[in-house]
């Protein structure tokens, strides 16, 4: 057995061919199947409930292109399906990106919104939308530029200590504060109506998201996720430390750049699509590890999709009036973040 296969647990298997080997866990595969099934059930519920109720029979007919009523087609295909799919894709992107950052930094508190990547994307998108008067597709380019700039600054400032430890978190918090100060300044320089719209977007909202918003986020996820899954074995090796992973044959510098670039792009597109939705990228990898028993990019993506879609349903239907989904994720994620801090402090104490 090669060193790159690492220690297999009782439910792990390795499929080997002449050139390729694939390590998988029965538990992880089972958990991913259950998560996918739960996501499908939640999606069906999201298409049926609301101010206009759609019956199961009407839902099936509508999805088959034979809507019994015009209102069925309007609510299911025009409003609920694209919004739900955007929630799934954005949540999955954030969950996968969070898993990558936590794996790279070997820090359970690291996530794109904590270390400033999401804030950098917000600056880029806000500047393009409010200062340059750009459209949403152009704002996506600005978000990518902003996220890449923040990621580059983090790499420079942590060059000596590496992407791990308390210095990374403190650096990210400081950069995030600076980025949000820039956003606040821009908001004070534009019309009140534009600032109000941007402020709602900055909380994180799926209101009004349609098919045109889904396409760029879906393309980014479909292009980047296979790359990350292929790089997952190297990421598991790198979690053991640079010296160990190098001894096991991992090209750590190249792998780190690939993983960081892919995760940064996922975050940037997600932020451009729905705003900087907080804490999904932090929570999803933790829940996925507890369920699957090991780090899994796919499981983290599925958990992230479930978290955001369920949060959006709560934001739409649990209150007298709909609220931005970011309010729900901030409330839940803030409590989860405090629990993580307490646990880490208790463990080191």
């Amino acid at each position: 057995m090669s060193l790159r296969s690492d220690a297999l647990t009782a439910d792990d298997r390795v499929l080997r061919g002449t050139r390729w080997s694939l390590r998988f866990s029965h538990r992880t595969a089972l958990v991913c199947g259950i998560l996918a099934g739960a996501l499908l059930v939640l999606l069906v519920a999201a298409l049926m409930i609301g101010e206009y109720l759609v019956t199961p029979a009407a839902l099936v007919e509508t999805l088959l292109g034979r809507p019994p009523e015009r209102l069925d087609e309007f609510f299911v295909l025009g409003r609920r399906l694209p919004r739900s799919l955007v929630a799934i894709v954005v949540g999955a992107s954030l969950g996968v990106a969070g898993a990558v950052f936590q794996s790279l930094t070997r820090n359970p508190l690291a996530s794109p919104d904590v270390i400033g990547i999401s804030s950098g994307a917000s600056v880029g998108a806000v500047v393009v939308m409010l200062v340059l008067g750009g459209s949403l597709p152009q704002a996506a380019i600005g978000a990518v530029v902003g996220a890449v700039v923040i990621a580059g600054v983090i790499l420079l400032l942590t060059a000596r200590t590496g992407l791990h430890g308390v210095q990374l978190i403190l650096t990210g918090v400081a950069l995030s504060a600076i980025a949000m100060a820039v956003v606040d300044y821009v908001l004070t320089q534009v019309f009140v109506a534009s600032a109000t719209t941007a402020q709602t977007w900055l909380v994180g909202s799926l209101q009004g998201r349609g098919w045109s918003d889904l396409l760029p986020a879906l393309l980014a996820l479909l292009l980047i996720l296979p790359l990350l899954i292929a790089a997952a074995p190297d990421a598991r090796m790198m979690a053991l430390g640079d010296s160990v992973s190098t001894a096991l044959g991992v090209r750590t510098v190249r792998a780190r750049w690939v993983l960081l670039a892919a995760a940064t792009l996922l975050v940037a597109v997600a932020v451009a699509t729905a705003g900087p939705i907080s804490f999904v990228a932090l929570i999803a990898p933790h829940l996925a590890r507890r369920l699957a028993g090991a780090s899994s990019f796919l499981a983290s993506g599925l958990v992230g999709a479930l978290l955001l879609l369920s949060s959006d349903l709560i934001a739409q239907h649990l209150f007298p009036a709909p609220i931005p989904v970011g309010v729900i994720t901030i409330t839940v994620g803030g409590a989860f973040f405090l629990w993580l801090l307490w646990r880490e402090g208790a463990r080191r104490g």
Side-chain angles (χ1 to χ4, degrees):
M1 183 178 299
S2 68
L3 289 174
R4 287 184 59 85
S5 299
D6 51 273
L8 302 181
T9 60
D11 63 343
D12 287 342
R13 300 291 183 272
V14 177
L15 298 181
R16 297 186 182 277
T18 56
R19 296 183 60 190
W20 300 92
S21 65
L22 174 65
R23 176 182 183 270
F24 73 99
S25 163
H26 283 171
R27 176 176 172 178
T28 301
L30 178 61
V31 166
C32 288
I34 294 173
L35 289 173
L39 186 60
L40 180 60
V41 171
L42 196 62
L43 174 60
V44 171
L47 298 180
M48 294 174 59
I49 63 176
E51 65 272 25
Y52 178 81
L53 294 176
V54 178
T55 65
L59 176 63
V60 172
E61 291 296 319
T62 301
L63 293 177
L64 292 176
R66 303 188 298 267
E69 303 287 344
R70 294 187 64 180
L71 284 177
D72 294 326
E73 181 179 14
F74 171 74
F75 279 100
V76 173
L77 300 180
R79 292 183 57 181
R80 295 175 186 171
L81 183 58
R83 175 170 179 158
S84 298
L85 292 178
V86 169
I88 290 172
V89 171
V90 170
S93 298
L94 293 175
V96 172
V100 172
F101 278 106
Q102 290 179 17
S103 176
L104 277 178
T105 61
R106 305 195 296 276
N107 192 323
L109 300 179
S111 70
D113 40 355
V114 173
I115 65 175
I117 302 296
S118 297
S119 299
S122 298
V123 172
V126 166
V127 168
V128 170
M129 286 191 297
L130 299 184
V131 178
L132 303 180
S135 61
L136 186 59
Q138 293 169 331
I141 299 175
V144 171
V145 173
V148 169
V149 168
I150 290 292
V153 173
I154 290 174
L155 285 174
L156 289 176
L157 295 179
T158 60
R160 290 185 177 180
T161 59
L163 286 173
H164 51 80
V166 177
Q167 182 179 349
L168 171 67
I169 301 299
L170 295 178
T171 300
V173 170
L175 290 174
S176 180
I178 294 172
M180 295 316 297
V182 173
V183 170
D184 290 339
Y185 173 76
V186 172
L187 291 178
T188 63
Q189 304 302 308
V190 298
F191 293 113
V192 174
S194 300
T196 302
T197 301
Q199 190 64 49
T200 302
W201 178 84
L202 285 169
V203 175
S205 176
L206 295 170
Q207 182 66 34
R209 298 302 183 268
W211 294 108
S212 60
D213 304 297
L214 174 65
L215 184 59
L218 181 60
L219 285 177
L221 184 63
L222 291 178
L223 290 174
I224 294 174
L225 185 56
L227 174 65
L228 290 176
I229 291 176
D234 287 344
R236 285 195 295 268
M237 296 292 183
M238 291 168 63
L240 301 175
D242 288 352
S243 58
V244 176
S245 59
T246 301
L248 294 175
V250 178
R251 297 179 180 178
T252 55
V253 175
R254 186 184 69 175
R256 183 177 290 112
W257 276 103
V258 169
L259 290 167
L260 184 62
T264 300
L265 289 175
L266 280 180
V267 173
V269 176
V271 170
T273 303
I277 298 176
S278 301
F279 291 113
V280 172
L282 176 70
I283 299 175
H286 285 275
L287 294 180
R289 280 194 297 271
R290 286 183 172 272
L291 293 172
S295 179
S296 168
F297 293 160
L298 181 58
S300 297
L302 290 170
V303 172
L306 274 169
L307 281 173
L308 190 53
L309 183 56
S310 58
S311 297
D312 189 45
L313 288 176
I314 293 173
Q316 288 185 76
H317 306 303
L318 197 61
F319 300 92
I323 62 175
V325 66
V327 175
I328 304 299
T329 62
I330 288 173
T331 303
V332 176
F336 187 84
F337 186 65
L338 290 175
W339 175 78
L340 275 180
L341 288 173
W342 174 83
R343 192 186 69 169
E344 287 298 308
R347 178 182 297 173
R348 294 179 180 181

